């Protein structure tokens, strides 16, 4: 490709990044398409496509291959859908025309097959580093981003209209992701918003870099090695350390213009660092690391088995269980980390206060005259969460939910018509009498469950118009073979702008603040939302419906 001046248009930005010798010497694009055909005779729809710029010896173009077995990629709940994975190489010169076809003509050239597409928007290039001590989300859906890093250009399918049956079901997305991973290392469930999108990945291969710690000091060494067929040019190395108090602990700049070079970065702290190598001629990043640290010590836990096992008697069995017992001996290998216990203490206390402010960790411990205050505080905290996160939806999951629990929580959502769901087991008491006919608990429990469901249904139906106004709520319960019993209690906000978030209530709504419990934000709201959705979808039978606000329309 000839040298081109950069401007803001999409194809020119792509052309700039693909100039020979800038990020690499590319001669082809490896295209991997994950596609679906929704019914016989339909055109394929894009589930996820990635184009990776590569340098290969004697590449063979426009010869598609299909990866995996269609039967193993099938999703039983999407009847009629057929899913496949297609891979082929394109000449690098076709990169711009392929992108332009999607953006201007809504047409994708799939190795010679013209496929109509939904409307796509262009997202400007971004740089993605390799993983450090924390994973970079994009690396789960791109190819081998282990070294200097990659530029990504994304064509976004914002509507995803053709994918609604898939994208509206998180459990189905996870199932699809697991099936795809059997054949290609793409974890689409980790970035489910990328479903239907097209990614152009341009890995940096013009230089290879190595960042390593130096023994006996906090200094690091940055080594740079140019591609054999690319002439060296001036580069700027920028290194920075960030402190635990949100300070900049160290900052260093060095300039290099050799074929192979080394820079010693004189750091003085043990805090995380990042390194960026900047090419001022073409205004691109040629290497970058995310915030990183080096392992300077390791704790080894040596376990010695005791001579005799521990024998544990069993309540319902004559035969006891034997478990092996050991002693431990811990040894530190390497340098002991220098930490300030006073700084640790202050940061811990500040974190506690912030978690409390955001209701991410709140402890309730009612004592004496404070019992009513704690009950009121706990309920107010739930309402705070609902009105902070619930404008796009709230799901309440509690086996003991009754009509008043729902009134005192979900009905306090101040966002009119926010979609809300509740699952209750309308639990029967543990001392329910046995059925006089079949001498089992089952019949009696079913009758009690039906009776309680009717009570809740009637209660909501008799609410005045001013109470039900703006309420968009549906309540379900497991019944007989539909669904399953559950124990944990959660409040979930499935449509939060940064993905689902959820809190563990620590107790049922009817016991909030009455006994010691902890309200705690869970680390993976998506998994809780998926579990709720899975149960919800199993409660489609008429017997499982307790009440819906649509009944009042």
């Amino acid at each position: 490709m000839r040298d081109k001046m950069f401007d803001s248009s999409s194809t020119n930005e792509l052309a700039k990044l693909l100039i020979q010798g800038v990020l690499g010497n590319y001669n082809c694009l490896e295209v991997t398409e994950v596609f679906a055909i929704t019914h016989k005779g339909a055109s394929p729809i894009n589930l996820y496509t990635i184009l990776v710029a590569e340098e290969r010896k004697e590449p063979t173009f426009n010869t598609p291959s299909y990866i995996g077995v269609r039967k193993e990629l099938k999703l039983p709940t999407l009847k009629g859908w057929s899913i496949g994975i297609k891979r082929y190489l394109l000449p690098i010169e076709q990169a711009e025309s392929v992108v332009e076809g999607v953006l201007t003509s809504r047409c994708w050239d799939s190795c010679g097959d013209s496929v109509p597409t939904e409307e796509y928007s262009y997202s400007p290039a971004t740089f993605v580093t390799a993983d450090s001590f924390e994973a970079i989300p994009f690396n789960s859906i791109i190819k081998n981003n282990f070294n200097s890093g990659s530029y990504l250009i994304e064509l976004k399918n914002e509507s995803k209209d053709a994918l609604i049956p898939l994208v509206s079901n998180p459990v189905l997305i996870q199932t699809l992701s697991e099936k795809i991973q059997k054949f290609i290392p793409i974890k689409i469930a980790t970035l489910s918003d990328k479903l239907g999108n097209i990614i152009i990945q341009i890995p940096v291969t013009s230089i290879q870099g190595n960042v390593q710690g130096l023994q006996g000091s906090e200094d690091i060494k940055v080594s740079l090695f140019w591609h054999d067929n690319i002439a060296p040019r001036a580069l700027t190395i920028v290194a920075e350390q960030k402190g635990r108090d949100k300070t900049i602990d160290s900052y260093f700049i060095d300039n290099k213009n050799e074929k192979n070079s080394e820079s010693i970065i004189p750091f003085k702290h043990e805090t995380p660092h990042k390194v960026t190598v900047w090419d001022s001629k073409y205004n691109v990043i040629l290497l970058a690391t995310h915030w990183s640290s080096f392992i300077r010590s390791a704790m080894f836990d040596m376990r010695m088995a005791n001579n005799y096992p521990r024998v544990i008697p069993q309540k319902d069995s004559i035969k006891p269980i034997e478990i092996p017992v050991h002693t431990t001996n811990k040894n530190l290998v390497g340098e002991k980390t220098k930490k300030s216990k006073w700084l640790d203490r202050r940061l811990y206390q500040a974190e506690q206060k912030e978690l409390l402010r955001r209701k991410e960790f709140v402890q309730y411990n009612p004592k004496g005259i404070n019992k009513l205050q704690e009950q009121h505080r706990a309920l107010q905290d739930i309402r705070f969460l609902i009105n902070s996160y619930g404008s796009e939806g709230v799901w309440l999951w509690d086996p003991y939910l009754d009509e008043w629990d729902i009134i005192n929580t979900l009905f306090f959502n101040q966002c009119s018509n926010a979609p809300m769901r509740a699952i209750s087991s309308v639990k029967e008491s543990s001392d329910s009498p046995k059925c006089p006919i079949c001498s089992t608990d089952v019949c009696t429990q079913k009758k009690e469950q039906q009776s309680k469901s009717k009570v809740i249904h009637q209660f909501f139906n008799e609410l005045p118009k001013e109470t039900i106004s703006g309420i968009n709520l549906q309540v379900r319960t497991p019944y007989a073979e539909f669904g399953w019993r559950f124990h944990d209690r959660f409040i979930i906000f499935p449509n939060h702008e940064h993905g689902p978030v959820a809190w563990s209530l620590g107790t049922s709504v009817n016991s909030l603040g009455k006994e010691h419990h902890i309200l705690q934000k869970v680390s993976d709201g998506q998994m809780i939302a998926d579990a709720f959705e899975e149960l919800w979808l199993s409660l489609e039978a008429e017997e499982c419906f307790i009440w819906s606000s649509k009944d009042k329309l």
Side-chain angles (χ1 to χ4, degrees):
M1 283 187 170
R2 67 183 187 277
D3 201 319
K4 300 182 181 181
M5 292 298 292
F6 168 76
D7 66 30
S8 59
S9 74
S10 57
T11 53
N12 280 330
E13 181 180 41
L14 177 60
K16 174 207 170 187
L17 295 175
L18 291 177
I19 294 171
Q20 292 296 295
V22 176
L23 300 179
N25 283 341
Y26 312 110
N27 60 3
C28 64
L29 289 167
E30 182 194 71
V31 184
T32 304
E33 302 174 6
V34 183
F35 65 90
I37 298 174
T38 58
H39 58 275
K40 192 173 181 179
S43 296
I45 58 174
N46 176 40
L47 298 183
Y48 178 73
T49 295
I50 180 168
L51 298 82
V52 185
E54 294 186 350
E55 179 183 1
R56 293 195 183 191
K57 292 183 179 179
E58 300 179 358
T60 303
F61 297 121
N62 299 310
T63 305
S65 61
Y66 291 87
I67 301 170
V69 181
R70 290 282 184 95
K71 286 184 179 180
E72 294 187 29
L73 289 167
K74 196 172 182 63
L75 297 172
T77 53
L78 292 180
K79 293 184 178 179
W81 282 46
S82 177
I83 296 171
I85 303 172
K86 183 179 180 180
R87 180 172 284 166
Y88 53 92
L89 297 180
L90 289 178
I92 197 70
E93 292 78 13
Q94 292 185 18
E96 295 168 66
S97 62
V98 167
V99 171
E100 191 172 350
V102 172
L103 294 176
T104 61
S105 306
R106 295 179 62 174
C107 182
W108 171 254
D109 182 356
S110 178
C111 198
D113 295 328
S114 182
V115 180
T117 71
E118 295 187 279
E119 186 174 352
Y120 279 82
S121 63
Y122 178 86
S123 181
T126 187
F127 193 87
V128 180
T129 68
D131 290 345
S132 61
F133 53 67
E134 62 178 340
I136 307 302
F138 253 118
N139 286 332
S140 62
I141 62 168
I142 62 177
K143 183 178 180 180
N144 298 346
N145 195 34
F146 304 136
N147 298 310
S148 300
S150 297
Y151 272 97
L152 300 185
I153 290 175
E154 188 173 5
L155 308 183
K156 293 183 178 180
N157 177 352
E158 298 289 5
S159 70
K160 306 189 193 299
D161 290 338
L163 302 176
I164 293 299
L166 177 61
V167 297
S168 60
N169 188 333
V171 176
L172 209 54
I173 293 173
Q174 183 62 43
T175 303
L176 172 65
S177 183
E178 291 171 0
K179 288 177 178 288
I180 290 172
Q181 287 174 64
K182 293 179 181 178
F183 306 107
I184 55 176
I186 289 176
K187 301 177 181 178
I188 193 63
T190 60
L191 288 172
S192 58
D193 59 300
K194 307 303 178 187
L195 277 165
N197 292 1
I198 300 170
I199 302 285
I200 300 103
Q201 178 185 354
I202 310 171
V204 176
T205 58
S206 55
I207 66 168
Q208 291 291 313
N210 182 35
V211 179
Q212 65 184 95
L214 297 181
Q215 193 170 4
S217 74
E218 301 305 323
D219 297 351
I220 64 171
K221 181 172 71 172
V222 179
S223 304
L224 302 178
F225 309 95
W226 280 94
H227 188 293
D228 289 340
N229 297 323
I230 296 176
R233 53 185 182 266
L235 300 176
T236 301
I237 301 171
V238 180
E240 177 185 351
Q241 276 189 309
K242 69 172 180 179
R244 298 177 66 198
D245 251 338
K246 300 182 180 179
T247 56
I248 299 175
D249 283 352
S250 302
Y251 196 85
F252 183 84
I253 296 178
D254 194 12
N255 295 302
K256 293 293 180 182
N257 193 8
E258 302 103 32
K259 180 70 175 176
N260 299 318
S261 63
E262 289 184 353
S263 289
I264 304 299
I265 312 297
F267 284 158
K268 297 180 176 63
H269 300 268
E270 293 182 342
T271 48
H273 64 267
K274 69 175 181 179
V275 175
T276 304
V277 176
W278 179 251
D279 176 359
S280 57
K281 179 178 180 180
Y282 292 103
N283 290 329
V284 292
I285 299 169
L286 291 189
L287 180 146
T289 66
H290 195 60
W291 291 110
S292 307
S293 293
F294 296 112
I295 298 174
R296 298 185 181 276
S297 62
M299 182 70 74
F300 288 90
D301 187 354
M302 305 293 290
R303 298 187 174 189
M304 301 290 292
N306 289 8
N307 292 331
Y308 302 101
R310 180 176 297 132
V311 180
I312 304 174
Q314 297 299 293
K315 182 178 179 181
D316 301 320
S317 174
I318 298 174
K319 186 178 180 181
I321 294 176
E322 294 184 357
I323 62 168
V325 181
H326 60 260
T327 56
T328 63
N329 182 23
K330 294 184 178 180
N331 293 289
L332 179 69
V333 177
E335 308 164 17
K336 188 175 182 180
T337 304
K338 302 169 187 174
K339 279 188 176 182
S340 166
K341 68 176 182 180
W342 304 111
L343 175 61
D344 287 345
R345 181 178 298 178
R346 175 170 60 79
L347 293 177
Y348 172 73
Q349 290 171 348
E351 184 180 7
Q352 272 190 318
K353 290 178 181 177
E354 183 61 16
L355 290 175
L356 187 62
R357 185 187 69 81
R358 298 197 304 259
K359 313 300 180 190
E360 293 188 12
F361 186 93
V362 188
Q363 187 172 194
Y364 306 95
N365 194 10
K367 297 178 181 178
I369 61 173
N370 294 324
K371 284 188 176 182
L372 288 177
Q373 293 177 4
E374 283 293 84
Q375 292 172 31
H376 177 74
R377 183 169 74 99
L379 204 52
Q380 287 298 109
D381 286 347
I382 298 300
R383 294 169 184 170
F384 170 84
L385 292 176
I386 289 171
N387 285 298
S388 297
Y389 298 92
S391 61
E392 299 296 326
V394 188
W395 297 348
L396 188 55
W397 197 0
D398 180 347
Y400 291 96
L401 275 181
D402 65 15
E403 59 273 24
W404 283 109
D405 297 330
I406 295 170
I407 285 279
N408 286 323
T409 53
L410 298 181
F411 272 62
F412 278 78
N413 191 341
Q414 296 170 8
C415 184
S416 181
N417 290 308
M420 298 187 289
R421 299 176 179 179
I423 300 179
S424 171
S425 281
V426 286
K427 283 229 174 185
E428 68 283 347
S429 61
S430 59
D431 56 351
S432 300
K434 293 185 182 296
C435 172
I437 298 174
C438 62
S439 298
T440 67
D441 295 332
V442 178
C443 292
T444 303
Q445 290 173 4
K446 283 184 179 179
K447 289 176 182 177
E448 285 187 6
Q449 197 170 4
Q450 289 173 333
S451 175
K452 290 180 181 180
S453 294
K454 287 179 181 178
V455 168
I456 297 173
H457 182 88
Q458 183 177 350
F459 174 87
F460 283 121
N461 275 347
E462 292 176 355
L463 289 173
K465 185 177 180 180
E466 58 267 26
T467 301
I468 217 75
S469 175
I471 292 294
N472 178 9
L473 170 66
Q474 190 174 132
V475 186
R476 297 183 185 180
T477 182
Y479 182 82
E481 71 272 21
F482 303 109
W484 48 86
R485 293 191 179 201
F486 56 92
H487 173 77
D488 293 313
R489 290 84 161 165
F490 295 100
I491 188 165
I492 306 159
F493 304 97
N495 301 315
H496 186 253
E497 59 180 330
H498 300 305
V501 290
W503 273 256
S504 170
L505 301 182
T507 188
S508 287
V509 173
N510 60 22
S511 298
L512 287 171
K514 294 181 180 179
E515 296 177 349
H516 179 271
H517 67 97
I518 293 172
L519 174 69
Q520 185 174 10
K521 186 178 181 181
V522 300
S523 59
D524 196 326
Q526 182 68 65
M527 294 182 72
I528 302 299
D530 291 350
F532 181 99
E533 179 81 0
E534 184 180 8
L535 177 56
W536 183 264
L537 293 174
S538 72
L539 306 178
E540 297 281 358
E542 185 178 347
E543 297 92 333
C544 299
F545 284 78
I546 297 180
W547 186 76
S548 171
S549 52
K550 294 178 182 178
D551 297 344
K552 292 281 288 183
L553 299 178

